[in-house]
Amino acid sequence: GPPRTKMRLTSLKGVFVGSGSEGLQQPEVVTEILSLAGTAPTELNVLYIGTPTYEKAQSRENQTKLLAAAGCSVTHLKTTLAGDCTAVEMEEACAAANIIVVSGGNTLYGIDRWRATGLDRQLKAAGERGALLCGGSAGAICWFDGGHSDSGDPDTYISSAAAPAPAGADEATTFAEGGVAAQWDYVRCPGLGFLPGLCCPHFDKTQSNGVLRAHDFDEMMLRHPGERGVCIDHFAALIVDGARYRVLSLPGKPGSVLGGAFSEARAGLPGVWVKEVAGGEVKTWLSPAARPPG
């Protein structure tokens, strides 16, 4: 459906990473989160929301251990099963949070659960209060109007919430060169709409379906020509501080930015690209340039 403009945040602080478990295990990402929070780590409450992974314990450990090691207090709010938490517990957890970390995983499932439980409204209230909103993969998509998602990948979902979490619950699958492509398609997944645009994490990766996300995203943009695309490489992060934003390119990691052009072979540095449709064509430019060239 159309973006829920009533959910838009007028000012927002956040760190949005191209990958979930891998991204949140990078010390440089955690340094950015703590810097943006602007308070001594021992005074910071981190609220971890693992709904997109169906509360998988290993995902929680991967995506909070560096924040905990820095001295932050970490709380896990479970919302996957009916009865996991009361409305009051949800409200209190969000109200106490200085930093909210949403896991990678199945974005579609997470958004559905948050709307069903009212967590979407509590997250908005936290963002309006100035809580720092963070996450990678699904945890990046969820804050935007929508995104380019692998929620159709069977490795990211389970038949029932009581079943064991899927093996690939917290990170994007990877296509094995010379292997057989899995039969699934990327989907446009709705987000909370706090930020405008369609977010594409893992922009430079080819997942188990054998399709490079960057190529598929251009086709998605043509189907949604009124929207802006925000494309985050697997090892890049978009850092938003109100009206200001910048890009973190993780050192020593592969990425798609090679001499200002897109490298399919990931022979460049990690970066963030912006896309818009004009005249029936997808225009692409490198962030943090404020506008397309020419």
Side-chain angles (χ1 to χ4, degrees), residues 3 8 11 35 49 59-60 70 83 95 98 103 105 118 121 134 148-149 156 159 162 165 179 205 213 232 238 244 266:
R8 192 78 81 227
S11 183
S35 171
I49 297 172
S59 302
R60 180 179 71 246
N98 306 106
S103 71
R121 296 187 297 277
C134 306
H148 185 265
S149 172
T156 71
S159 55
K205 282 199 71 175
R213 284 186 86 131
I232 308 173
L238 177 66
R244 298 188 301 276
R266 302 177 83 196

Side-chain angles (χ1 to χ4, degrees), residues 49-75:
I49 297 172
T51 326
T53 70
Y54 310 90
E55 318 298 354
K56 187 178 179 186
Q58 188 60 54
S59 302
R60 180 179 71 246
E61 167 69 10
N62 289 343
Q63 293 171 82
T64 60
K65 63 185 177 186
L66 292 185
L67 288 163
C72 299
S73 169
V74 178
T75 304

Side-chain angles (χ1 to χ4, degrees), residues 174-181 206-208 210:
T174 300
F175 181 66
E177 201 63 45
V180 177
T206 299
Q207 289 189 227
S208 64

Side-chain angles (χ1 to χ4, degrees), residues 116-132:
T117 58
L119 182 58
D120 58 344
R121 296 187 297 277
Q122 298 300 337
L123 292 172
K124 182 171 190 274
E128 285 177 332
R129 178 174 51 76
L132 183 58

Side-chain angles (χ1 to χ4, degrees), residues 52-225:
T53 70
Y54 310 90
E55 318 298 354
K56 187 178 179 186
Q58 188 60 54
S59 302
R60 180 179 71 246
E61 167 69 10
N62 289 343
Q63 293 171 82
T64 60
K65 63 185 177 186
L66 292 185
L67 288 163
C72 299
S73 169
V74 178
T75 304
H76 179 195
L77 180 66
K78 293 185 178 182
T79 58
T80 294
L81 295 174
D84 265 347
C85 66
T86 66
V88 171
E89 288 169 338
M90 195 184 302
E91 184 175 355
E92 289 177 348
C94 289
N98 306 106
I99 298 169
I100 296 175
V101 175
V102 172
S103 71
N106 191 303
T107 320
L108 201 55
Y109 178 73
I111 294 290
D112 281 350
R113 283 298 297 159
W114 302 339
R115 287 182 177 164
T117 58
L119 182 58
D120 58 344
R121 296 187 297 277
Q122 298 300 337
L123 292 172
K124 182 171 190 274
E128 285 177 332
R129 178 174 51 76
L132 183 58
L133 309 177
C134 306
S137 191
I141 291 174
C142 67
W143 310 109
F144 289 82
D145 284 333
H148 185 265
S149 172
D150 62 3
S151 294
D153 180 350
D155 280 346
T156 71
Y157 59 76
I158 54 180
S159 55
S160 80
D170 64 334
E171 199 56 272
T173 52
T174 300
F175 181 66
E177 201 63 45
V180 177
Q183 297 300 305
W184 60 271
D185 296 319
Y186 298 111
V187 295
R188 184 200 185 283
C189 178
L192 293 168
F194 297 177
L195 282 167
L198 281 180
C199 175
C200 179
H202 313 285
F203 183 65
D204 53 335
K205 282 199 71 175
T206 299
Q207 289 189 227
S208 64
N209 60 3
V211 180
L212 179 65
R213 284 186 86 131
H215 287 172
D216 195 81
F217 189 62
D218 276 2
E219 295 176 21
M220 184 176 288
M221 286 295 298
L222 290 170
R223 296 194 297 272
H224 301 275

